[in-house]
Amino acid sequence: MMQSGVPHCSTCGESVGFGPNGEVFVACHECSFPLCKACLEYELKEGQKLCLRCGASFTAGLDNLMPDGAETQATDTRSTMASHLQNQTFIAAIEFFFEESTPESGNPIWKNRVQSWRERKNKETVSKTALEPQVPPDQQMEEKKSQEAMLPLSKVIPIPRNQLTPYRIVIIMRLIILGLFLNYRVTHPVDSAFGLWLTSIICEIWFAISWLLDQFPKWSPINRDTFVDRLSTRFERVGGPNELAAVDFFVSTVDPLKEPPLITANTVLSILAVDYPVDKVSCYVSDDGASMLTFESLAETAEFARKWVPFCKKYSIEPRAPEFYFSQKIDYLKDKVQPSFVKERRAMKRDYEEYKVRINSLVAKAQKTPDEGWVMQDGTPWPGNNTRDHPGMIQVFLGHSGAHDMDGNVLARLVYVSREKKPGYQHHKKAGAMNALVRVSAVLTNAPYILNLDCDHYVNNSQAVREAMCFLMDPQVGRDLCYVQFPQRFDGIDRSDRYANRNIVFFDINMKGLDGIQGPVYVGTGCVFNRQALYGYGPASLPSRPKSSSSCSWWCCGSEKTSKDLPEGYQDSKREDLDAAIFNLREIENYDDYERSQLISQMSFEKTFGLSVVFIESTLMESGGVPDSVNPSTLIKEAIHVISCGYEEKTEWGKEIGWIYGSVTEDILTGFKMHCRGWRSIYCMPLRPAFKGSAPINLSDRLHQVLRWALGSVEIFLSRHCPLWYGYGGGRLKWLQRLAYINTIIYPFTSLPLVAYCSLPAICLLTGKFIIPTLSNLASVLFLGLFMSIISTSILELRWSGVGIEDWWRNEQFWVIGGVSAHLFAVFQGFLKMLAGLDTNFTVTAKAVDDTEFGELYVFKWTTVLIPPTTILIVNIVGVVAGFSDAMNNGYEAWGPLFGKVFFAFWVVLHLYPFLKGLMGKQNKTPTIVVLWSVLLASVFSLLWVKVDPFLNNDNGKAMAQNCISIDC
């Protein structure tokens, strides 16, 4: 390929090349006429020693033709001319060439030479065209596709400057105004209500810190786009092997009575029908409840998949979960040209209805457990009758050796897994189940990538896996990529999204901001992992650590892995253990160096990954696949072994590798550990949502869900993995990324100042005091500036993110609702768990909705989480009534101060309005116990405050007491 900036020879059309000194070759230093070495030599042999353009002598350029090693001298004029020639473009040279090649002008020698050159060039062109073989059009198209395939598989789309620059300017302005505002508030105390003022100052400083932690990780948001067609062109060539990487899907479920089997079955069916080579897809379903209902429903699902999968692929339907496909209110005849589609669709819908009847009959049968326990179809007792004490169970339903579809094609592999449970063992809930799936899949299929989904999140976009592979399989992007996270999208939510179930602000604003730093956080579902990252290995782009002399031999001989690829535990905390093991083995004289290195390598890997030779060997296969040395008939037995209760004992599982233990929000902790090792993640938002799920939309279930997330954050805060002090040694976690993780574990503590701040308006109204002194002109400007900067920041965020104003407002409302209820309880429960060892058991929220549209929205369940926000609502309403009563009694002058107090009270009530609406339910009825507790607490609080005013100055109190005595009260 020609080098950029080098002109072409005016005679032969080739590049003029470079001289011995490395500069562009120059034949004529007078006019910079482009002529290559070969043509110059030809001209000299022909006796032509004058430039064809200007007539100057070629003698000055003869030194460029001297052989290597000869002495050459370059004058300043020549260097200047060479640099000038480098900047010339090929087009300019050609234009100049033909401008002077007209017969009527120029040197007569030049005219004759041009004519002879043209004749010779035409002859060479004709002969060259005759000799060159004609490339067939098919081959030309194939070469074009090959060139396209080498292009990047994705691209970064930065936010336009006209949107991002004003956004950053407003953030800086808001920071400055916030500093001035806090300075004014601190330097202007309210002596008449010092306690109220001090409380408000503490709350406002905490809110400012919380805003900083939330705002600055969104400094550089980006969008991404993928090129799925290029992925197919590069890895799926016609007539050749399919080179797309294999993917193992993980689906986790616990209780089939709370997580309906039909919902799980739809998720499995959407996976089996995904648009990806079937030999590259394996679906593992983890049944952590060891339920025979789940097992039998999967057997029915495997049978129905033989009909459903070919139907989906034949007509390219979306989505490929039958329940959600048939419930779409669209014209299914649109864009369907096959005459047989209507007939086949109706037949498939009838088959699905029959399939639903069979599943529902299994659910009805499972409502009452027989006294003797469940019995399988062959008459043997179900091994999981005791859910707390049962062996490990694995059943392969579909796959290469299983059933084919109705068209005779192979189906993707479907595997049922229930890990062993024994009393006295810590099973670590969902994180333990996911780690068991990692080991089982490594033994059976060992795909290099893992995609995990909740049982209620189905594949909504059949090309979702290809979208992720555009990042993971790109050599430039995927080298240090640990996972690709997709946003969560939900079905079955009311149109107004009363309780912010969609969480649009987080998924469309915060996650885009993190994607511009080191990557989005892992949110538990809809995530495609690099298996090597789950094993604790560092990214390939990091420099390897220096090897110690004692460990050099076995690092080099024992394995093909280098030190940079070993788990972080090997690189850091486990270095002394490895050295000790090496020293002990060297005392054994019977081993040579190679055998010793092999033994040390084996021992160290067993200490990390567990006692399974097959699994350890699979961890060394970066490209995936089952080792050739393994006997296929022993794989199931080995898979049973790796899901036994004691397998993880004295290993690094849950500490450095796999899903990390120590928090109910294992997703945040797992992603955080990967980012600390130097990995980065990517946020993928295809136009058609990749996955969709269902959310608990009624108030009680929603608050319990938020409570679980907040409790997990508190647990991380109180653990050794807290982002405030963990992961500084390697220097691999970027500072803005660390701020984002700090925000994820600090936000529940905002509930304490939030409860106090929401109570302040009621206290001010009941006592007649206020937290702000009489406003000056400067104070009014600061208040107005802060208010406008808050609005401007929000508007600009909505502009570059595309989030609607209604979604933003619902998020703000639920931030207050969750803060004064679920987050508050999470803080206390987290400290109780740490100090007293009291562990909170959470029930799984129901996934199914009522037959009535949004019927679940109005279901109300009693929970203690509802008491604090209800009390705050009642106290503020009572305070407003008391404030207006006091203003009417004290005359016109009392109405001015009343305005500020009532404004803050209405701010609280307005944010809690969705909560108030949820309390009323569909029939506007609230449980009596909630009303009684809330009214009782509000009344006692109000009466005590009026009777014992703790924020009243002592001097004022004495004066009032003297006045009271003087009038004989």
Side-chain angles (χ1 to χ4, degrees), residues 199 202-204 206-207 748-758 760:
T199 303
I202 295 174
C203 294
E204 289 164 3
W206 180 269
F207 293 151
F749 296 94
T750 307
S751 60
L752 299 174
L754 187 60
V755 169
Y757 211 73
C758 289
L760 285 177

Side-chain angles (χ1 to χ4, degrees), residues 452-472:
N452 81 291
L453 292 173
D454 288 343
C455 64
D456 61 325
H457 274 69
Y458 64 92
V459 181
N460 183 65
N461 184 347
S462 62
Q463 292 198 341
V465 182
R466 296 177 181 271
E467 296 276 354
M469 290 303 142
C470 287
F471 301 106
L472 292 166

Side-chain angles (χ1 to χ4, degrees), residues 172-245:
I172 299 300
M173 291 177 59
R174 180 174 174 180
L175 183 61
I176 296 172
I177 295 173
L178 184 60
L180 296 174
F181 170 79
L182 292 177
N183 177 70
Y184 170 80
R185 294 282 285 124
V186 172
T187 55
H188 291 76
V190 181
D191 296 330
S192 61
F194 186 81
L196 292 175
W197 169 83
L198 182 61
T199 303
S200 65
I201 289 297
I202 295 174
C203 294
E204 289 164 3
I205 292 175
W206 180 269
F207 293 151
I209 296 173
S210 179
W211 173 75
L212 288 175
L213 294 175
D214 179 70
Q215 186 67 67
F216 278 93
K218 298 182 286 188
W219 184 259
S220 301
I222 61 172
N223 294 311
R224 295 184 186 271
D225 194 12
T226 56
F227 305 101
V228 180
D229 53 343
R230 295 180 185 174
L231 180 77
S232 300
T233 304
R234 181 179 298 186
F235 297 105
E236 295 182 291
R237 296 186 178 182
V238 179
N242 194 307
E243 298 179 357
L244 287 175

Side-chain angles (χ1 to χ4, degrees), residues 10-25:
S10 300
T11 302
C12 64
E14 299 295 333
S15 173
V16 297
F18 295 87
N21 56 0
E23 296 181 349
V24 177
F25 178 78

Side-chain angles (χ1 to χ4, degrees), residues 67-217:
D68 295 340
E71 295 182 358
T72 57
Q73 295 181 352
T75 61
D76 294 340
T77 306
R78 177 175 177 179
S79 300
T80 305
M81 190 63 66
S83 61
H84 172 69
L85 186 59
Q86 282 182 334
N87 295 328
Q88 285 184 332
T89 61
F90 173 66
I91 297 177
I94 293 297
E95 288 177 352
F96 190 73
F97 174 85
F98 281 105
E99 283 176 1
E100 294 189 358
S101 64
T102 55
E104 293 80 8
S105 62
N107 195 313
I109 302 176
W110 164 244
K111 296 178 182 179
N112 297 332
R113 187 60 190 161
V114 167
Q115 187 64 30
S116 61
W117 175 84
R118 283 180 175 176
E119 294 176 357
R120 185 178 62 185
K121 194 68 178 176
N122 292 334
K123 292 180 180 179
E124 291 177 355
T125 304
V126 173
S127 60
K128 187 176 180 180
T129 305
L131 293 175
E132 286 184 352
Q134 295 294 325
V135 181
D138 295 342
Q139 186 176 348
Q140 293 179 4
M141 185 65 67
E142 192 68 25
E143 292 177 356
K144 184 179 180 181
K145 288 183 178 180
S146 300
Q147 294 175 357
E148 292 179 354
M150 299 310 295
L151 296 174
L153 301 179
S154 63
K155 68 176 180 179
V156 175
I157 306 176
I159 305 298
R161 288 188 177 182
N162 60 351
Q163 297 179 4
L164 191 59
T165 301
Y167 176 64
R168 291 175 174 175
I169 293 175
V170 170
I171 291 176
I172 299 300
M173 291 177 59
R174 180 174 174 180
L175 183 61
I176 296 172
I177 295 173
L178 184 60
L180 296 174
F181 170 79
L182 292 177
N183 177 70
Y184 170 80
R185 294 282 285 124
V186 172
T187 55
H188 291 76
V190 181
D191 296 330
S192 61
F194 186 81
L196 292 175
W197 169 83
L198 182 61
T199 303
S200 65
I201 289 297
I202 295 174
C203 294
E204 289 164 3
I205 292 175
W206 180 269
F207 293 151
I209 296 173
S210 179
W211 173 75
L212 288 175
L213 294 175
D214 179 70
Q215 186 67 67
F216 278 93

Side-chain angles (χ1 to χ4, degrees), residues 711 714 752 823-833:
L711 179 60
V714 175
L752 299 174
H823 297 172
L824 182 66
F825 274 74
V827 171
F828 286 109
Q829 290 181 7
F831 278 98
L832 284 175
K833 183 177 181 180

Side-chain angles (χ1 to χ4, degrees), residues 514-578:
L514 292 177
D515 198 14
I517 309 173
Q518 199 172 341
V521 298
Y522 169 43
V523 296
T525 184
C527 188
V528 186
F529 283 97
N530 182 342
R531 187 184 284 268
Q532 295 294 309
L534 283 173
Y535 288 157
Y537 296 128
S541 59
L542 289 181
S544 58
R545 293 177 181 268
K547 308 173 191 175
S548 62
S549 59
S550 59
S551 60
C552 178
S553 62
W554 82 270
W555 284 134
C556 299
C557 305
S559 170
E560 295 180 358
K561 289 277 182 182
T562 60
S563 62
K564 67 181 179 180
D565 294 324
L566 290 171
E568 189 179 51
Y570 279 75
Q571 298 174 2
D572 301 322
S573 61
K574 298 300 180 184
R575 177 67 64 186
E576 295 81 3
D577 296 340
L578 292 177

